[in-house]
Amino acid sequence: MPRQLIAGNWKMNGLTVPGARLAGAIREAVAAAPPPCDLLICPPFTLVGTLAHVMLGSGVAVGAQDCHAKPAGAHTGDVSAPMLKDAGATAVILGHSERRTEPGEREAAVRATAGAGRAAGLGRIVWVGETLAEREAGRQEAVVAAQLAGSVPEGFPGSGVVAYEPVWAIGTGRTPTEADIAAMHAMIRRVLGERFGATGGRVPILYGGSVKPSNAETILALPEVGGALVGGASLVAEDFLAIAAAAA
Ligand code: PGA
């Protein structure tokens, strides 16, 4: 089995000085006590280059939180996958629920950005997850299966990662039961296997949504959990590192 991946999603948080300080603290701690997992930090666009510099040679990878589907052109306000690569990113999160609800990205758009990430040589973390209403209606499996079908592009295994985050668990402190997490991960694994065959069996599936030091060990030990996508707790070096230390 590959090492688990603990990915920090800083969201729209981080100015240069405190951001570099947080990254520096993570770098030092990792050098002193290497965690049993791979680490990725995804700051806002403005800090990708700075953090890539801070993390150079540390083994901690730096990623971004979105990219445009085109490599360049008249797209005011957007950033392309080759630009992220150029700034030192090695991966990009795509189709996070906050991008689906705020700018309103749909499956085809997410799939296009994932294709652009691949063309630029970036690892892609494609987000899937159900809302509370969808779970209460018992539709979580159908919703997530449709998201996978719509947003995961061809050629995904190898450098593609799926992040499953129930929307109602993001930033709320609420997490699904262990059985619910295991059931969703098993379903995602089945869907990936049906589509991609044996290589689909090796796509890491991260869990995300209120992962913190107190629940990381339990969640990371569940079957088919290949790591975690961590929001709030990734902004505190101690908490992020405690989660990393809990990797299976
Ligand atoms: P959270 O966010 O860990 O703060 O719940 C996770 C995410 O949205 O990626």
Side-chain angles (χ1 to χ4, degrees):
M1 280 305 282
R3 275 154 57 102
Q4 291 189 321
L5 170 65
I6 306 299
N9 174 11
W10 285 13
K11 308 194 178 186
M12 198 172 71
N13 294 292
L15 300 177
T16 305
V17 171
R21 201 179 288 136
L22 173 55
I26 292 168
R27 184 194 162 106
E28 275 176 34
V30 165
C37 59
D38 292 334
L39 289 182
L40 170 71
I41 296 181
C42 300
F45 290 136
T46 48
L47 286 184
V48 168
T50 304
L51 262 58
H53 185 72
V54 171
M55 290 307 188
L56 210 61
S58 69
V60 179
V62 175
Q65 301 169 17
D66 189 32
C67 69
H68 195 273
K70 297 267 168 55
H75 303 285
T76 302
D78 275 310
V79 174
S80 74
M83 289 169 179
L84 296 176
K85 177 93 176 168
D86 179 56
T90 58
V92 59
I93 300 168
L94 297 164
H96 189 281
S97 66
E98 288 149 18
R99 300 219 50 84
R100 290 172 186 254
T101 50
E102 290 181 17
E105 285 177 15
R106 294 282 166 266
E107 307 308 339
V110 178
R111 188 185 190 108
T113 60
R118 179 169 187 235
L122 296 174
R124 286 93 62 222
I125 301 177
V126 170
W127 182 101
V128 294
E130 82 284 358
T131 62
L132 187 57
E134 289 162 344
R135 175 159 287 267
E136 283 174 349
R139 296 185 50 235
Q140 65 275 12
E141 296 211 356
V143 165
V144 169
Q147 289 169 335
L148 289 169
S151 59
V152 169
E154 297 311 318
F156 194 65
S159 57
V161 172
V162 170
Y164 166 64
E165 299 194 322
V167 176
W168 49 274
I170 296 175
T172 59
R174 293 181 60 190
T175 47
T177 64
E178 291 166 38
D180 285 343
I181 296 174
M184 291 304 284
H185 280 242
M187 187 278 297
I188 293 167
R189 175 65 69 219
R190 198 167 56 243
V191 168
L192 292 171
E194 281 165 10
R195 175 148 167 218
F196 295 111
T199 56
R202 293 193 286 273
V203 172
I205 307 169
L206 312 185
Y207 169 78
S210 294
V211 176
K212 45 194 179 227
S214 59
N215 62 19
E217 194 175 346
T218 308
I219 291 172
L220 290 168
L222 293 171
E224 302 295 358
V225 171
L229 182 57
V230 185
S234 73
L235 295 169
V236 179
E238 240 178 28
D239 289 355
F240 187 59
L241 292 160
I243 293 166

